Amino acid sequence: MVYESVLYNDLHTNGIIGPHSKMLGPVADGGKIVFLTPPGCWGPMITPNIRGGHEVNVPVLVEKAEIGNSIAIFLEDIKIKSRATSSGVGEPVENTYMGDPFVFKICPSSKEPWPDYEVVGIGDNAVRCKDGTPASPFKMVHGYTMLFDDSYKVGITVDKKLSEEIAKNAKSYMSIPPNSKQVPVVTLAKADLIGAVSRIRPFMGQLGSIPAVDIPDSHNAGDFGYALIDANHPYRITRDQYEHDLTDGHLDIDSVRPGSIIIAPVKVKGGGIYAGDGHAMEGDGEVAGHTTDVTTEVSVKVEVIDKLNLEGPLLLPREEDLPPLAKPWRKDEWDYVMSFAKKVNIEVEPVAPLQIIGSGPTINDAAKKGFERAAKLFGMKLEEVLNRVTITGAVEIGRLPGIVQVSMQVPIRILEKLNIADIVIKHYNLSY
């Protein structure tokens, strides 16, 4: 079998990922993947025949990735391709879905599931069933269109006139990839927020490994995935599948940006590394429910970690993205620590930062899951994890309603047992 050292991936799912997904590769252990990702969230959400809340790239098999291993994903670069985007606070539209508007979309008139559609003009009712009935399962109750500068430093929300000009050239402004099936969200021509300015700070909302059950891509996380338990559509799952088969690949954590590393569990042979849902910027929590979806070109390197059996992902952010108490000890600091420890006759041991991802239907559930995952992974009592997080780390909100980053300083001896000490030490340039 030929293992590719660099694999280019410009193919996308129809909203479903899992063990029956079409997959590319395998890419070599230590090889690179370049993804051309279409916008996530709003475009797929308003497209009636996409069966998930996003449109991610098809998964890639990785050499030597067996169930029970993990894969380190080194996020090397994100290039934004879109010149404009649109987003906002939304709500479902009655009679356009059954049960879950992200998943089970129907034509309001014919009740046909995942119906064919057409785009007629621009605006809220542009997406229609073939009989002319407005068919978008979501509407923006307060939305904006944002235009980026040529150097991708800032974005500015525009007025109605410019939003309509962008809407009329929607695919061009959003640089929708050739293999994408979505309706560009700028078609809606939203302009409820004018003249708001933001710094561009791109990150990936989805980056990880595929789940062990076929589910909508947007629901591969403990918060949105909770809605799949005993749902009334073909992608329902059991509570046991919810607890064990998801991989939390849909994180929407803004520190998943160039220079970070995700360590993802392998729950399907080959891992199935996928990417999607790139954004131009986002504050912690994604409190509007959505943010600035863009087309991206994403470059990652993958390395298999043998015998690291994870329930969910680990994250190594860039040093500046760590909370203050979790930042790595530098040599001068650690020399002082050792001097003080010697003076009081207490033995201290080298440590390094690590983030454990927790997920659940609520933020409290997500934090509890993160603590439990840490305790199990590190062989610690739960109470020890709570104490270490309190004085050497933090709990940060990744996404509302239920994704968190549990940061803590972890003894190097434990990281060595997990086969990740070398990755962590190199990533943070530690002097131990």
Side-chain angles (χ1 to χ4, degrees), residues 251-426:
L251 296 176
D252 279 328
I253 291 174
D254 63 349
S255 53
V256 180
R257 63 191 186 108
S260 66
I261 304 170
I262 285 181
I263 302 178
V266 175
K267 299 194 177 183
V268 172
K269 183 177 174 61
I273 300 303
Y274 73 101
D277 195 28
H279 301 108
M281 75 281 291
E282 177 197 287
D284 283 355
E286 197 180 23
V287 297
H290 309 282
T291 187
T292 47
D293 311 307
V294 288
T295 298
T296 66
E297 184 178 270
V298 185
S299 301
V300 304
K301 183 179 77 169
V302 291
E303 290 183 5
V304 174
I305 303 173
D306 192 35
K307 298 178 182 177
L308 177 59
N309 191 1
L310 297 175
E311 292 183 0
L314 305 176
L315 177 59
L316 299 174
R318 291 161 58 147
E319 182 172 341
E320 61 264 38
D321 292 342
L322 285 166
L325 296 179
K327 290 186 183 296
W329 295 95
R330 293 305 167 203
K331 189 177 186 307
D332 58 337
E333 295 179 295
W334 194 250
D335 287 346
Y336 183 83
V337 167
M338 295 298 289
S339 174
F340 177 52
K342 184 177 181 180
K343 187 181 297 185
V344 296
N345 198 30
I346 296 294
E347 184 177 347
V348 294
E349 60 181 334
V351 291
L354 195 63
Q355 290 188 340
I356 302 90
I357 303 303
S359 68
T362 70
I363 286 295
N364 285 346
D365 291 321
K368 181 181 178 184
K369 178 63 72 174
F371 303 146
E372 291 171 346
R373 285 176 172 174
K376 182 177 179 180
L377 182 63
F378 303 143
M380 297 177 180
K381 290 184 177 180
L382 180 63
E383 292 78 9
E384 179 178 350
V385 169
L386 300 180
N387 280 330
R388 285 184 180 270
V389 172
T390 300
I391 63 173
T392 76
V395 176
E396 299 172 290
I397 297 174
R399 175 182 64 231
L400 296 170
I403 296 288
V404 302
Q405 301 146 265
V406 176
S407 299
M408 61 184 278
Q409 297 271 9
V410 183
I412 296 292
R413 60 176 169 82
I414 292 178
L415 301 181
E416 288 173 343
K417 291 179 181 178
L418 297 174
N419 293 327
I420 59 174
D422 289 347
I423 291 176
V424 179
I425 290 171
K426 183 178 180 181

Side-chain angles (χ1 to χ4, degrees), residues 234-255:
Y235 304 105
R236 67 175 66 86
I237 60 174
T238 66
R239 181 170 290 274
D240 185 70
Q241 288 173 315
Y242 169 79
E243 293 289 345
H244 298 106
D245 291 353
L246 276 59
T247 61
D248 285 352
H250 179 204
L251 296 176
D252 279 328
I253 291 174
D254 63 349
S255 53

